[in-house]
Amino acid sequence: MKANEFPTAPSASSVHMSETDAHTFRSWLETGSGTIVVPVGALEQHGPHLPMGTDAILSTLISTGVAEAIGALVAQPVAYGYKSQQKSGGGNHLPGTTSLDAATLIGLTRNLTVSLFNQGVRRIVFLNGHYENYQFLYEGIDIALAELGISAGDDRCVLLLSYWDYVAEETLAAVYPDGFPGWAIEHGGVLETSLMLHLKPKLVDLERAVDHQPAELPRFDRLPVVPSRTPESGCLSAPTGSDAEKGRLLFSQVVESLISDLVPELSRTRHN
């Protein structure tokens, strides 16, 4: 290649920014879809059978499936998240759970949003995989948009979502034939375990999985927490009944539903 020349399209071998050189990325900003997907997770215990990086692993792989279909690129994942809550993640007191406070997550989200838009990205999708993150991601995005002067009618926009909101009722019925226990206690349970068995089976050790009744927690939050209210496994519901086929169904249905929502929305944004 001659001096001062660089490719005109991103490498077809990867949709990940981390695996794309800066010159190719610069061309992609000029000729590509202009959409970046940012996976967001956490480093949080998920019982004895799943890795602590489960949330970031799943959000990254789902982001990849979506990006491949819509011509987007996937940013480096946000691998740390807001403090685990006892009623949704077992609690921040459990070893291995390594968390950010609200101000840090808000600031990180704001910085990422500002940096990507200042480089020429037109649309950002934050794809969340950790329940406790959502409102702090929202706040960071909102602050960034105000700082940049992006308001209604601007071609630039940010979409924020959590992947489990795209799990269809018929999929839940197939994954939980005895009845869905509810999102509040689906931590380290059948959904996450099945997805990991499909996507990263070598990181799952079902022989260490614990079968127990779903956690019974009060409707209020008590601080400091009462550790005994979290099941000893750290999971709020048991992974009993998990398998790779359920994970395949979950993954394919969620990715398909995300694509069906995102494509018209991002196309509408481009033409407004």
Side-chain angles (χ1 to χ4, degrees):
M1 183 174 293
K2 297 179 181 179
N4 300 322
E5 287 186 356
F6 51 89
T8 58
S11 169
S13 63
S14 177
V15 296
H16 294 277
M17 285 181 66
S18 62
E19 298 173 359
T20 303
D21 69 86
H23 288 244
T24 297
F25 180 64
R26 183 166 68 182
S27 289
W28 178 85
L29 288 171
E30 299 171 353
T31 63
S33 71
T35 299
I36 296 289
V37 184
V38 184
V40 189
L43 185 64
E44 177 189 35
Q45 69 80 31
H46 280 76
H49 65 292
L50 289 178
M52 291 184 288
T54 291
D55 292 347
I57 291 168
L58 293 179
S59 62
T60 299
L61 292 172
I62 292 170
S63 294
T64 301
V66 171
E68 289 172 344
I70 69 174
L73 291 180
V74 179
Q76 286 275 63
V78 177
Y80 294 89
Y82 183 68
K83 301 167 189 173
S84 175
Q85 305 295 290
Q86 189 170 39
K87 294 194 299 180
S88 53
N92 209 50
H93 63 289
L94 296 172
T97 298
T98 308
S99 306
L100 305 177
D101 62 20
T104 302
L105 183 55
I106 290 168
L108 176 58
T109 306
R110 169 193 160 273
N111 285 332
L112 289 173
T113 303
V114 170
S115 179
L116 289 169
F117 277 140
N118 280 342
Q119 293 176 65
V121 172
R122 307 304 298 174
R123 288 160 295 279
I124 305 169
V125 179
F126 281 91
L127 197 153
N128 179 43
H130 177 62
Y131 182 86
E132 289 87 345
N133 285 341
Y134 197 90
Q135 293 303 325
F136 306 113
L137 297 173
Y138 191 107
E139 180 70 1
I141 294 164
D142 193 52
I143 292 171
L145 296 184
E147 180 179 330
L148 293 168
I150 297 175
S151 57
D154 197 304
D155 178 58
R156 296 167 294 175
C157 73
V158 182
L159 304 184
L160 171 61
L161 61 96
S162 296
Y163 74 79
W164 50 83
D165 288 333
Y166 284 79
V167 179
E169 290 297 323
E170 56 269 27
T171 301
L172 284 177
V175 173
Y176 300 91
D178 296 326
F180 179 51
W183 291 117
I185 57 171
E186 178 43 72
H187 176 75
V190 174
L191 180 137
E192 289 181 314
T193 303
S194 294
L195 280 168
M196 289 294 288
L197 284 169
H198 170 56
L199 296 166
K200 290 287 185 180
K202 292 183 179 180
L203 297 181
V204 183
D205 187 353
L206 281 183
E207 291 186 1
R208 290 171 55 80
V210 179
D211 186 15
H212 58 77
Q213 292 298 311
E216 294 184 6
L217 296 164
R219 287 175 289 181
F220 52 80
D221 287 299
R222 172 173 172 153
L223 298 174
V225 300
V226 179
S228 61
R229 287 178 174 165
T230 300
E232 190 173 346
S233 70
C235 302
L236 298 184
S237 59
T240 306
S242 303
D243 62 54
E245 178 55 28
K246 289 179 179 178
R248 184 203 62 77
L249 172 63
L250 283 160
F251 180 77
S252 60
Q253 184 266 295
V254 166
V255 169
E256 182 178 341
S257 295
L258 279 164
I259 293 166
S260 69
D261 256 17
L262 296 182
V263 168
E265 182 65 19
L266 296 173
S267 297
R268 185 186 70 82
T269 302
R270 280 199 298 271
H271 295 116
N272 279 356

